Every structure is written in C-alpha cells, then in structure tokens.
Amino acid sequence: MVPEDVKKRIEELRKEIEYHNYRYYTLNDPVITDYEYDTLLKELIDLENKYPQFASKTSPTQRVGSKILDGFQSVRHPYFMYSLDNAYSMDEIVEYDKRIRKLSGISEISNLEYVGELKIDGLSIRLKYERGELVLAATRGDGRVGEDVTENVKTIRTIPLILQKAVDIEVRGEVYMSHAEFKRLNSIRQRQGLPLFANPRNAAAGTLRQLDTSEVSKRHLDSFIYSLEFPERHGVKTQWEALRYMHELGFKTNKESKIIRNFEEMKKYFDRYEKIRYDLDYPIDGVVIKVNDISVQSLLGFTAKSPRWAIAYKFPAEQARTRIIDVTVQVGRTGVLTPVAHLEPVKLAGTTVKRASLHNFDYVKERDIRIGDIVLVEKAGEIIPQVVKSIKEERDGDEKPIKLPKSCPVCNGPVGKLDEKDVAIRCLNPYCPAKLEGWIEHFASRKAMDIRGLGNKLVTKLVKNGLLKDPGDVYELNVETLSKLEKMGKKSAQNILDQIEQSKKAPFNRVINALGIPMVGEGTARLLGEKFHSISELSRANEKELMQMAGIGEKVARSIIDFFSMPQTKRMIDKLISHGIGVIHELPLQKTRPLNNLKFVITGTLSKPREEIKNRLIELGASVTNTVSSKTNYIIVGENPGSKLSKAKALGIKSLDEDGLEKLISQLSKKKSS
Ligand code: AMP
Ligand code: ZN
C-alpha cells in the first residue's frame, strides 16, 4: 500500500471502530461480533505501529492505555465549576420552588418547567473539544483548579474521542464505576490482599488518579454527560435540548431524565428513584432538578457556590443505628483475621442487616468499639455493611471490650502480624485449612510456579473434593481425577497437566516463593535462592547461617526454621522432591547487582507489601530511603502517592510505577551481563 492509501485506511478504521464502540458501550446495541471488532482493532494497531507518522491522539487505539504518567498537571478552570445546593425533604423542595418563582417572576405553575435528572455518584469531569476532537478532560478539584486527566479519560469507552460534528464545545458530566465493576474490582483486590475500596465513588476517584493508563483502561470506568457550557453558542434554549444535542454528538446521556411540570410529577420522580436506586447498574445518591429554560437560568444566576436554577435532592443517608450483640473472628483466604460484629437486626438500604465488618483490630481499638455498644452501621455500594462508630453516650457500663484473638479460631494456630506496619493480624500456621485455597493460588501464581490453568475456580473445586491437601498434591493430579470434575473435558485436563509439568522448570527462587513460608516474600525468596541450591539444603539451614545473610533478620530466620520443622512440611517437600522440584538448581541466579549505587524512595500503595519491594531492590544492589533528597535517583509510585511524590517532582527526580521498575531492572540487567 502506498502511504496515501494507508492513511485513508487508517482513517476509515478509526471511524468504523469508534462507531462500533459507540454502538456497544453507549447504546448497548452492537451490530458486529466481538471477534469482528477485535479484527478491525488489530488491523488498526498494526497499521499505526508500521506507520507511526499517522499517529493520532484521538485514535481508538488510545483507549487501551499504554502510557505511564509522571503525575497530573493542574488545570485552572476558565469558569468556576459549581457544585449543587442540597435539599433533604419535599418541604425544602417546596420552599425552593417558591423562591425560584419569586426571583424569576413566574407565578403560573405551568410556566415553570424543570428537568429531573439522576444524581450520579461519581466525580465530576469537564471535557473540552476543539473541532470535534477531545483536547482536555479535567477533574473539578476545588472548583477553580482541577487536574488534567485526559489520558485516563480517553480509556473510558463512552466518552467520544471525536464527536459527530466538528464543533468547539465544553461539557460536564460524571465519571463513575458501575456496581458490577466495583464488585469485580474489589474481589480481585481482596484476592491480592490489597485494601478494598469503600464504595464505587472512591473506586472511580482512585482509578482516575492512577498513573498507569493501562490499569485505568482495565477498570472500565463509565460516564454520563449532563451539562452543556455556553448553550447559546450552540443555539440550545433549554436543558432538555442540551441533553438531546449532547446525545446526538455521541455522548452518553442518562435515559431516566424527565421533564417535570408540577409537584405531583416531582414527587413521583423522587419516590420512584429512591425506591429503585439499587436496581440501577450505576450508583446514584439523589436526583437533581434543573430549571429547563436557559433564559430563566441566566436570570436566576449563581450564588457563590452553586447555581440557583438547580437543586439536588439527596436520598437519606444509608446509615442505621443498632446494637452489637457479639463479635466473632473470620479467617480469610490469606489468613487475615477479621472481626465481625453480630448486630440486632436492622433495616438498611432496603435489606435487613445482621452482621457488619469491623475491618481489623486496629480499627476497633482506634474507635473504641465494644460488645454491647450502640453503633452506626453504613452500607457503601454493595460490600457488606460496616460499623462506622460507636455512640459512647449510650453506654451503661456493661459493654465489653473486643479482645485480640490469642489463636486462630479455625486451626488454633499462632497468630500475629507479618511485620510491624501491617494492620492485619493473621493466622501464622501455614497449614491452616482456612488458608489452603489461598495458598494453592499463591503456589500457582505467576511469581511462583506459574501454572496459569490452575485458576481460582478450579482450585476451589479441587480443594472441596479433597484432591489437594497441600501444594505438593498438585503434581499428583492426573487426567482421570481432573476430568471427573464437572465441565472438564479430557483435552482441557491434559492442557492443565502440561502446564503443571512445565512448571517443574521454574527457577529455584520462584519455588521458594511458592512454598509460602510465612514472612518470606518474593524478595527474600530471591536471596535464599542465591545462597541455597535445593529445598533440602535450605531446610537444613540453621538460624545463624540465615541471619548472616544481608536482608534476613531474626524473625524471618525463625519463621523459616519453624516452617521446615513442621511434619506437614516434611510431607509436602517429599512430594515436591519426588517430582524433581527444588532438587538442585544449576543456573546461576542474578549474581550481578544491576541497581548498584542507585537510590530509591517508595510512595503509595503497591501491589505487594512495601517491605518485599524494598528487599528486592536492596538485593539488586540499590539503597532505599524514606525521604526524598537531591541524591534520590528514582521514586517508585504506587496508588495514592503521598507528599514524597510532589517533592520528588519538584527536584526533577524520575518516577516509575511497578511496571516501569521491572523494565528498568531488566534493562540494567542486560547491560551488566553484556
Ligand atoms: P455534591 O458533590 O453532593 O455537592 O453534588 C454536586 C455534584 O453532583 C456535582 O458537582 C456533580 O458532580 C454531581 N452530579 C451528579 N449528577 C448530576 C447531574 N445530573 N447534574 C448535575 N450534577 C450532577
Ligand atoms: Zn488458622
């Protein structure tokens, strides 16, 4: 193809893909199959890679997210981004309506029209298009200055990169996370041992501030656009027309909006959505009514904080008061002990609640929550209700403190924190039945034995059927036992067995990591893998020998020795050894120190405990400090980074996310070894 043809084809593809994107995400009405869509996208990606001269900031390929951002630029809004006044009852709405009529001089009921809209519970966003192309997406911030989140917003499939008309336009709307996506995201985070998002709004806010755009793309944020700036420039005379016009341009507008002409209609609208709010796919926290006629809006104007022509009616808070009858302790799949409050049943957000999470024992201590206390419980999105606070004034002296468990309620094993900074108390018995599934998932994970086919669902089944009692049993599986499990054909069973066979070749440090020795993470496993040559050699190591190693302290050494002194461990490693795992490794592990002389600082929450990442950096030759200085070479940035990041930026220090770090390590390793 000559470049002219390529250019034409690229443009065609972009148009077509965006059209199908719109059909699928905005209209929910696709006209081609996923496969056909993927084929078009693949063709475009290939062409763009081959002909970078035709790159475009508004190409649908931008939606996948491939950039790692350093941070977010501040954006001064050209006009104040107002918030809304709130009303909490019908009476307040009546008052509001009276006030508006007086101010605007419209007394005839039927002459004042409102538009009722749902109040989406996300974050507000301002979008700017020039000649139909998205050029800026900014958060509200404090109303005057927000942040430029354009790259992240491009990954939101319902936000058009190119409009149906080449207009200059600014709109506002809400970026949100659906209930389903929120649930999915939290369940993944739970499995990874990451802190859960309290509600869809926090999840959406956290996601929009991610520095890794590909992660944002994976989290499937969504949008509703509800406001057109400078409507007169577009010949738009009412809010209703504005909604329609924006819809025509390709934005996703909310279908539940409605013209409202009188009180009965208003009341009906409120009642309806208060009742069905949890049946919607997306979170709402109220409804908004807006004066429909733009000329009346202009007449009414703004107060310092909000427009006079609109008001939000907020649904009553989803909190309830009740009493804690008892507290029990649950053991999660990673061994975390969670206190759970048993409550006097209470109605909350349409369901009867009998239990609520107390998060962890630090939370209980900080808030001084006791058994017998009257407490406030809250339901945020769809996760289980949580105890927000206890009401101390209601105490009569019979309340009992919630005690720290002395042993695991499932296996009676010892409990404790993995390191000082950890808030979670865990069962430290590696053989606790509550942890078996989690342990095997860890064993099969990418940084351990890397057995992809052994996914969570299959692990659950295998454990339930008694086929896996410890990770050593993985290598005892065969086609017969596997295919006997429902929905598993011979072919897929063989597939998994092939992967299991393949995993025997995993490098020794990953085998050590896979063992799940308490307090031994990926970093420590690497250290051990450098020094020892087989599981049996490691199992014979004494405390002194271990503690002589840089990066291994007394606690870790003790934990390793305790682990290998357990009879169950002996049984498990015998199984592994009999299958040739962890026998002798000949391949020299990373002996060089690719990060020699480099200084790192870490900020924010990473996918793994910070200690683990720190250990690994140290092991590769780097030093890791807590404060940023001009000597710092790199700052590793996780979620919700702290002030260290701004300091680092001011000093011009390079920032990396975890992927960036991996890339740096592999680059430098190559250099050293060549
Ligand atoms: P609040 O933050 O509770 O004061 O409510 C004001 C916010 O509601 C605005 O800044 C918007 O982000 C949000 N909002 C959600 N849905 C709408 C809507 N349909 N119209 C206007 N604002 C909305
Ligand atoms: Zn236990």
Side-chain angles (χ1 to χ4, degrees), residues 641-664:
S643 61
K644 283 186 230 171
L645 179 60
S646 23
K647 187 163 174 210
K649 264 204 231 152
L651 290 171
I653 289 160
K654 283 183 212 129
S655 62
L656 295 174
D657 67 352
E658 287 183 71
D659 284 345
L661 174 62
E662 290 309 323
K663 278 188 202 131
L664 178 74

Side-chain angles (χ1 to χ4, degrees), residues 487-653:
K487 276 197 218 148
M488 163 90 61
K490 281 234 158 70
K491 200 160 159 232
S492 33
Q494 190 52 52
N495 213 333
I496 293 172
L497 289 172
D498 291 346
Q499 289 179 24
I500 292 177
E501 189 58 34
Q502 187 64 26
S503 79
K504 294 179 180 172
K505 296 193 193 122
F508 188 49
N509 61 313
R510 292 210 332 239
V511 175
I512 301 174
N513 184 30
L515 294 179
I517 307 169
M519 300 171 117
V520 174
E522 209 194 332
T524 313
R526 262 170 202 277
L527 287 177
L528 295 168
E530 276 187 26
K531 182 163 167 67
F532 298 95
H533 303 86
S534 66
I535 298 186
S536 19
E537 190 192 346
L538 174 61
S539 73
R540 287 191 304 270
N542 62 36
E543 203 167 332
K544 206 171 129 221
E545 208 175 334
L546 289 168
M547 278 172 65
Q548 269 164 3
M549 297 174 63
I552 294 192
E554 191 186 332
K555 277 194 178 166
V556 176
R558 265 275 42 103
S559 171
I560 295 170
I561 287 168
D562 289 348
F563 179 75
F564 283 110
S565 65
M566 299 178 80
Q568 296 102 315
T569 303
K570 175 101 188 55
R571 281 202 291 278
M572 173 183 68
I573 63 181
D574 281 350
K575 280 183 229 170
L576 293 176
I577 291 171
S578 74
H579 289 282
I581 295 154
V583 185
I584 351 163
H585 74 87
E586 297 128 69
L587 290 176
L589 284 166
Q590 194 81 46
K591 283 278 186 246
T592 53
R593 305 273 180 204
L595 303 185
N596 239 347
N597 296 328
L598 293 178
K599 291 196 169 50
F600 286 78
V601 170
I602 304 176
T603 179
T605 312
L606 301 162
S607 69
K608 281 170 288 196
R610 195 178 278 192
E611 265 322 281
E612 206 173 289
I613 299 204
K614 195 173 153 184
N615 284 344
R616 169 125 188 272
L617 291 171
I618 292 172
E619 171 211 330
L620 292 171
S623 59
V624 181
T625 55
N626 273 329
T627 44
V628 175
S629 78
S630 58
K631 299 215 177 75
T632 310
N633 298 95
Y634 292 98
I635 180 162
I636 312 294
V637 185
E639 237 164 84
N640 302 319
S643 61
K644 283 186 230 171
L645 179 60
S646 23
K647 187 163 174 210
K649 264 204 231 152
L651 290 171
I653 289 160

Side-chain angles (χ1 to χ4, degrees), residues 324-353:
I324 298 186
I325 316 170
D326 195 9
V327 170
T328 55
V329 177
Q330 257 175 17
V331 190
R333 54 197 303 118
T334 54
V336 175
L337 305 187
T338 306
V340 178
H342 297 244
L343 309 166
E344 273 170 14
V346 62
K347 276 246 185 249
L348 177 61
T351 57
T352 303
V353 171

Side-chain angles (χ1 to χ4, degrees), residues 310-542:
I311 191 157
Y313 173 78
K314 287 236 186 153
F315 297 139
E318 302 157 73
Q319 281 192 342
R321 267 165 69 108
T322 185
R323 187 185 300 278
I324 298 186
I325 316 170
D326 195 9
V327 170
T328 55
V329 177
Q330 257 175 17
V331 190
R333 54 197 303 118
T334 54
V336 175
L337 305 187
T338 306
V340 178
H342 297 244
L343 309 166
E344 273 170 14
V346 62
K347 276 246 185 249
L348 177 61
T351 57
T352 303
V353 171
K354 291 185 201 138
R355 281 156 178 254
S357 171
L358 288 162
H359 301 281
N360 56 59
F361 290 93
D362 282 359
Y363 183 91
V364 168
K365 199 168 146 204
E366 276 157 24
R367 287 165 185 74
D368 184 22
I369 299 169
R370 301 181 191 180
I371 298 169
D373 267 346
I374 298 282
V375 290
L376 285 187
V377 286
E378 189 177 89
K379 203 164 177 180
E382 276 183 304
I383 53 175
I384 59 162
Q386 18 194 318
V387 175
V388 191
K389 66 180 233 177
S390 65
I391 299 167
K392 313 282 186 293
E393 292 74 22
E394 301 273 355
R395 283 188 180 159
D396 62 10
D398 285 344
E399 295 74 19
K400 290 191 208 74
I402 296 165
K403 287 202 209 95
L404 278 181
K406 292 209 169 59
S407 60
C408 169
V410 173
C411 71
N412 247 322
V415 297
K417 293 190 176 186
L418 283 188
D419 76 73
E420 248 86 277
K421 276 170 247 133
D422 200 2
V423 284
I425 294 180
R426 295 164 201 263
C427 167
L428 298 177
N429 169 14
Y431 296 94
C432 179
K435 296 204 297 201
L436 183 56
E437 272 180 41
W439 186 15
I440 292 175
E441 276 165 24
H442 165 76
F443 184 84
S445 69
R446 244 172 18 145
K447 298 205 164 131
M449 303 308 282
D450 194 15
I451 311 171
R452 310 255 162 123
L454 203 54
N456 301 349
K457 279 195 190 129
L458 181 57
V459 169
T460 305
K461 258 190 216 161
L462 290 167
V463 169
K464 282 227 168 79
N465 287 285
L467 290 168
L468 295 181
K469 299 214 169 59
D470 69 39
D473 292 337
V474 168
Y475 296 93
E476 313 271 334
L477 294 171
N478 57 44
V479 174
E480 280 64 51
T481 45
L482 272 182
S483 54
K484 248 190 238 147
L485 291 177
E486 46 174 50
K487 276 197 218 148
M488 163 90 61
K490 281 234 158 70
K491 200 160 159 232
S492 33
Q494 190 52 52
N495 213 333
I496 293 172
L497 289 172
D498 291 346
Q499 289 179 24
I500 292 177
E501 189 58 34
Q502 187 64 26
S503 79
K504 294 179 180 172
K505 296 193 193 122
F508 188 49
N509 61 313
R510 292 210 332 239
V511 175
I512 301 174
N513 184 30
L515 294 179
I517 307 169
M519 300 171 117
V520 174
E522 209 194 332
T524 313
R526 262 170 202 277
L527 287 177
L528 295 168
E530 276 187 26
K531 182 163 167 67
F532 298 95
H533 303 86
S534 66
I535 298 186
S536 19
E537 190 192 346
L538 174 61
S539 73
R540 287 191 304 270
N542 62 36

